[in-house]
């Protein structure tokens, strides 16, 4: 069938909404009629080449190029049809997507860590993980899909490992937004950061992921949550969802309230959730981290970034830790339903973070608005 999708055909090319062809789902695959798709920053990383995968790795994925690709890896919708051998999903079911598939069988899934499922290696580009062939086409070209999803499309065909069923009374727009950024941020604080009651937490970068981190810290019992963002409107927004203090940089926090707030001890946990992670930010985070404190690197850095600024002596002498995380280090099938329940009960803020809804024709405008700092979260409504 022909559907409208937002694709990028070349490095640094714009988002273009085009008619594409999609095939029917085969074994272990599901066709979903999309309801909402969140506009996360990560898709932009691929468009501008930050996530340029080396050619050898692309060859392993079975492609020569990451282009053209369908963007989008946050989303929700309703199952339209299922292929053979699909367990536990049927037409009419409500689903959220997961940008990390959970196969349930690899060592990492089996040991309770599906957020690092082996299938994750295939998610940047390439054919269907079910059988290595293609379902999405643009003219005579096969289309990659961001994170094996490509949710900026009226319909998607994806592997069942990339979907999770949600109860029909939950809000589909909230499900789309929780499915990546908010869940990742929440887990970065509450799980990977190990925030404990009474902790002082700083969140550097207060967009979608940071908004999840602020709330994760609050739920975990933080005594104070410091929202740090160069964009004052994002700091203001964070203050409305649980942050107790705001600053435009870590230096700003250090020279104003941090000393008094922590009796000179600095923050127990600092979470890095800017739109793009860069090496200099590690030391900026460390410089406001307490002895024995934890720095969590959540945001995506360019693949070519191999240098970080870090005062190694202080890092050692202060017994500090630097932790990476993907999906906040929680199983998507656990975290997404859990946060939806909290949202349903009014304990997790999602709707207030939506700056604007866009149509599938307006994806490029949505990303221009994100770059201009106008969006905490833009969302495509189908
Ligand atoms: Zn995302
Ligand atoms: Zn797995």
């Amino acid at each position: 069938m022909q559907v409208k999708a937002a694709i990028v055909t070349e490095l640094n090319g714009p988002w273009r909404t085009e008619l594409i062809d999609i095939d029917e789902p085969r074994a272990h695959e599901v066709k979903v009629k999309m309801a909402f798709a969140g506009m996360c920053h990560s898709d932009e990383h691929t468009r501008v080449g930050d996530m340029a995968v080396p050619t050898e790795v692309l060859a392993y994925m079975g492609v020569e190029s990451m282009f053209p690709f369908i963007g989008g890896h946050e989303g929700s919708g309703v199952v339209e049809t299922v292929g053979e051998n699909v367990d536990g999903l049927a037409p009419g079911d409500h689903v959220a997507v997961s940008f990390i598939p959970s196969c349930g069988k690899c060592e990492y899934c089996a040991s309770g860590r599906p957020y690092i499922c082996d299938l994750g290696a295939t998610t940047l580009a390439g054919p269907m993980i079910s059988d290595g062939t293609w379902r999405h086409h643009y003219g005579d070209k096969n289309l990659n899909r961001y994170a094996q999803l490509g949710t900026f499309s009226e319909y998607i065909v994806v592997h069942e490992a990339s979907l999770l069923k949600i109860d029909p009374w939950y809000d589909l727009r909230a499900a789309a937004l929780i499915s990546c950024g908010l869940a990742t941020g929440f887990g970065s604080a509450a799980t990977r950061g190990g925030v404990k009651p009474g902790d002082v937490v700083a969140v550097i970068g207060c967009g979608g992921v940071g908004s999840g981190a602020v709330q994760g810290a609050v739920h975990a019992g933080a005594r104070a949550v410091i929202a740090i963002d160069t964009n004052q409107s994002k700091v203001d927004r964070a203050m409305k969802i649980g942050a107790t203090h705001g600053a435009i940089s870590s230096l700003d926090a250090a020279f104003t309230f941090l000393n008094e707030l922590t009796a000179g001890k600095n923050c127990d946990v600092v979470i890095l959730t800017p739109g793009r992670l860069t090496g200099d930010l590690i030391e900026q985070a460390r410089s406001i981290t307490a002895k024995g404190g934890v720095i969590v690197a959540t945001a995506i850095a360019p693949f070519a970034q191999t240098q970080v600024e870090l005062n190694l002596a202080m890092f050692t002498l202060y017994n500090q830790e630097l932790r990476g995380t993907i999906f906040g280090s929680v199983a998507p099938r656990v975290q997404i339903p859990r946060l939806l329940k909290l949202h349903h009960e009014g304990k997790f803020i999602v709707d207030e973070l939506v700056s604007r809804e866009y149509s599938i024709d307006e994806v490029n405008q949505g990303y221009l608005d994100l770059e201009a700092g106008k969006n905490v979260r833009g969302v495509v409504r189908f």
Side-chain angles (χ1 to χ4, degrees), residues 7 9 16 18-20 68 136-143:
I7 65 174
T9 54
R16 294 165 40 173
E18 302 283 351
L19 280 175
I20 65 158
H136 306 71
H137 318 276
Y138 176 55
D140 57 0
K141 287 206 164 89
N142 291 319
L143 279 160

Side-chain angles (χ1 to χ4, degrees), residues 101-110 113-114 116-120:
S102 313
C103 76
K105 295 171 189 142
C106 71
E107 176 188 341
Y108 299 98
C109 283
R113 295 172 292 167
I116 42 175
C117 172
D118 278 343
L119 288 183

Side-chain angles (χ1 to χ4, degrees), residues 226-240:
I226 303 161
I228 300 175
D229 199 299
T230 50
N231 183 334
Q232 183 64 42
S233 71
K234 291 193 179 175
V235 174
D236 296 341
R237 178 80 62 127
M239 303 282 287
K240 288 189 187 133

Side-chain angles (χ1 to χ4, degrees), residues 64 73 188 261 368:
E64 285 169 10
H73 63 279
S188 299
L261 176 66
L368 292 174

Side-chain angles (χ1 to χ4, degrees), residues 38-43 73-74 99 146 179-181 184 209 377:
M39 301 175 73
C40 187
H41 201 282
S42 310
D43 308 274
H73 63 279
E74 298 187 341
F99 75 92
Y146 193 90
S179 70
C180 164
T184 295
V209 184
R377 254 306 179 262

